[in-house]
């Protein structure tokens, strides 16, 4: 759950490891065939995400396997949240990220949308945009992860 929360990735993106995790550069690289837009997606990882990934035993296919060593089902994260009595759904992490960013931060709209792996701009803009703003997205990812994990710590302190 933490990996999805701190990266603003979709839950399906976060459960497989048929992508590269470059710990040295702090990047998770999702191959084009796993992406809706069929373009490689470089996800800058916040310190919290890197710490979590370093603590996970590496498996051949899955970063977070099911108890039987298979892929987690699409419902696994939702079921976990229900057992934890979290009144939310996994996709709500992305929605919360969007609202937080728009209402409390000063990151450009393009950076926020690119963090969500959304195509930004007209066809002409997309044809000319060669970069992926990874360093600006890294700053956003760290700011978001710091905020989100502070809320988790506050909730644990109250419980």
């Amino acid at each position: 759950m933490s990996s999805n929360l701190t990266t603003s990735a979709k839950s399906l993106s976060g459960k497989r490891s048929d992508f590269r995790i470059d710990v040295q550069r702090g990047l998770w690289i999702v191959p084009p065939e796993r992406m809706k837009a069929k373009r490689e997606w470089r996800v800058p990882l916040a310190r919290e995400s890197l710490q979590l990934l370093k603590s996970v035993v590496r498996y051949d296919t899955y970063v977070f396997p099911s108890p039987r060593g298979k892929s987690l089902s699409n419902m696994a994260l939702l079921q976990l949240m229900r057992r934890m009595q979290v009144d939310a759904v996994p996709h709500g992490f992305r929605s919360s990220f969007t609202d937080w960013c728009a209402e409390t931060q000063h990151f450009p709209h393009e950076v926020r949308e690119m963090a969500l792996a959304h195509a930004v701009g007209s066809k002409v803009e997309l044809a000319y945009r060669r970069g992926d703003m990874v360093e600006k997205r890294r700053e956003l990812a760290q700011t978001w992860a710091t905020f989100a994990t502070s809320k988790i710590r506050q909730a644990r302190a109250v419980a």
Side-chain angles (χ1 to χ4, degrees):
M1 183 163 62
S2 293
S3 66
N4 286 98
L5 177 62
T6 60
T7 63
S8 68
K10 291 183 179 182
S11 58
L12 277 178
S13 301
K15 69 180 185 175
R16 292 187 54 93
S17 66
D18 56 352
F19 48 78
R20 295 185 325 267
I21 297 172
D22 184 335
V23 175
Q24 298 299 332
R25 293 183 1 202
L27 288 173
W28 163 28
I29 302 168
V30 183
E33 59 273 12
R34 298 281 298 150
M35 297 301 299
K36 187 176 178 179
K38 303 299 180 202
R39 293 179 63 186
E40 178 181 272
W41 186 36
R42 297 188 315 156
V43 181
L45 297 170
R47 287 184 302 273
E48 293 82 353
S49 299
L50 283 168
Q51 187 176 28
L52 173 67
L53 289 169
K54 287 176 184 177
S55 73
V56 173
V57 175
R58 290 299 302 180
Y59 294 88
D60 290 335
T61 306
Y62 307 105
V63 175
F64 305 107
S66 73
R68 293 180 297 215
K70 305 277 185 192
S71 173
L72 290 171
S73 76
N74 294 339
M75 294 296 291
L77 185 55
L78 177 61
Q79 291 170 346
L80 173 65
M81 291 174 71
R82 286 179 179 163
R83 281 195 305 272
M84 294 173 68
Q85 299 179 343
V86 175
D87 187 24
V89 296
H91 197 74
F93 293 154
R94 289 169 57 88
S95 178
S96 295
F97 167 81
T98 299
D99 290 346
W100 166 85
C101 195
E103 294 176 11
T104 68
Q105 301 299 305
H106 298 287
F107 291 95
H109 169 75
E110 293 84 2
V111 174
R112 178 185 75 219
E113 291 302 306
M114 290 177 90
L116 294 166
H118 293 164
V120 180
S122 68
K123 288 182 180 181
V124 173
E125 287 175 295
L126 292 170
Y128 283 95
R129 182 177 292 123
R130 301 282 186 252
D132 62 1
M133 298 187 193
V134 73
E135 291 309 317
K136 290 181 180 183
R137 290 187 299 117
R138 183 180 310 282
E139 182 183 349
L140 173 56
Q142 187 57 59
T143 305
W144 167 248
T146 300
F147 168 78
T149 56
S150 74
K151 294 300 180 188
I152 293 169
R153 283 191 298 279
Q154 287 174 1
R156 286 181 181 154
V158 171

